[in-house]
Each structure stands twice: as structure tokens, then as C-alpha cells.
Amino acid sequence: MRKTSVIIAAALFAFSAPIASFAAMEHDHGSMPMEHGSMKKEHGGGMMSMGKAAHEAVVEGVKASFVVIDNREMMKEMKMKESHHIMVMFTEPKSGKHLSEGEVTVKVLAPDKKEEIKALMEMEEGFGADFTMRKPGKYGVMAKFQLKDGKVRSAKFWYTVK
């Protein structure tokens, strides 16, 4: 019971940690709103640095950077069906200015053609949600996003689970 409590506490801490950008030191974060109360930003750390850079694309003037975090062991111990955390961060390609307001929906298509669709939760510097990707194979990841400018954009890529 004590081990389970420690694991749950560690997981809650990991998921509540602020998200750091890929090039955090190059961006001016002074004008960015804090969405999580008084949590301090951790440049160069956070969940974005925990995962594997999965895809990057510039779509109609917005750079979308996707990261996939393999949480299979931790989620299994917590008796959760999800296994991976998918995150996306948006920036202006030329200035590197962070774009943090909007709505994002992701659909994951499993190798067996089952679909999982979720709205990503807005986090300090990106958007993220947990998905079930337990079986090895190629997963299709399709994102639709609408940022503050009101334009609907989309990006898609394949992610291989080993």
C-alpha cells in the first residue's frame, strides 16, 4: 500500500510539473500567462524534456511540435489503461513566440484500426493528454487545433511503439 501511494504521489507530481519549451532559453517568457497558479517555470525540464520528439510541422504560419512520453510502466502500476502522454506546443516559426491559447483535439488510430479521440488539456506551455498505445506497431496521430487567431489547422504523423 505504501509503495502504491508513493507511485501515485510521484505520478501526480510529474503530471503537474510545468511544461518547458524545447528552446526555453531562447524565448521571452515574461509576457506569458501562468495557467497553473503559482507554479514556477522550470527551463530545460518539465514533461516536454521527458519524452521523444515525435513530429514537427509548420501549418499555416504555426509551428506544431509534438512529444510522446512512454508512461507504460508507471500507468500499469497505477492500474490505468493509458500508456503514453502526447503533448503539443505551438510557436510562431520566425519569432519563436509561444502560442498557448486555443483548443486541440487528437485522434490516435491504433494498428488494429481502433480510434481514441481526446481533447488535449491546456498546460503551461502546451497541450497534452494520455492515450492507450500498449501494443507494438504504427499508430496514426491526427491533431486538429484552433488557436487564438480562430483558424482551424491540422497535422498528422505516424508514431511507432516498440
Side-chain angles (χ1 to χ4, degrees):
M1 179 67 180
R2 182 180 176 110
K3 183 178 178 184
T4 303
S5 298
V6 170
I7 291 170
I8 290 172
L12 290 174
F13 175 75
F15 287 121
S16 66
I19 311 306
S21 74
F22 288 123
M25 299 313 249
E26 295 176 21
H27 299 290
D28 174 20
H29 296 297
S31 63
M32 289 176 43
M34 289 291 287
E35 296 294 326
H36 294 293
S38 62
M39 285 196 301
K40 226 171 105 179
K41 294 181 186 216
E42 297 175 9
H43 291 286
M47 288 182 68
M48 291 296 280
S49 66
M50 292 171 53
K52 176 182 172 187
H55 182 70
E56 200 168 83
V58 176
V59 183
E60 296 182 47
V62 173
K63 181 178 176 183
S65 302
F66 292 85
V67 172
V68 179
I69 302 169
D70 185 339
N71 287 329
R72 279 181 272 199
E73 294 304 314
M74 180 179 64
M75 300 297 255
K76 186 177 179 181
E77 287 182 24
M78 292 171 43
K79 302 202 185 327
M80 296 179 74
K81 67 177 180 142
E82 293 88 0
S83 60
H84 288 71
H85 188 74
I86 296 177
M87 300 189 66
V88 61
M89 183 182 73
F90 302 105
T91 54
E92 290 180 353
K94 291 180 182 176
S95 69
K97 181 183 175 200
H98 184 74
L99 305 171
S100 61
E101 293 180 41
E103 295 178 9
V104 182
T105 301
V106 168
K107 174 167 68 171
V108 173
L109 179 64
D112 63 4
K113 306 296 183 222
K114 288 185 180 176
E115 296 179 355
E116 185 175 14
I117 301 171
K118 291 189 178 181
L120 273 57
M121 180 175 72
E122 190 173 331
M123 298 180 165
E124 185 176 326
E125 291 185 10
F127 300 81
D130 295 323
F131 290 86
T132 305
M133 301 165 69
R134 291 199 176 275
K135 295 178 183 174
K138 271 186 156 182
Y139 288 78
V141 178
M142 294 145 274
K144 203 170 244 192
F145 51 98
Q146 183 175 16
L147 302 177
K148 192 175 183 179
D149 66 3
K151 274 187 171 179
V152 176
R153 297 172 175 89
S154 62
K156 58 185 173 182
F157 62 96
W158 291 100
Y159 183 79
T160 302
V161 174
K162 295 181 181 184

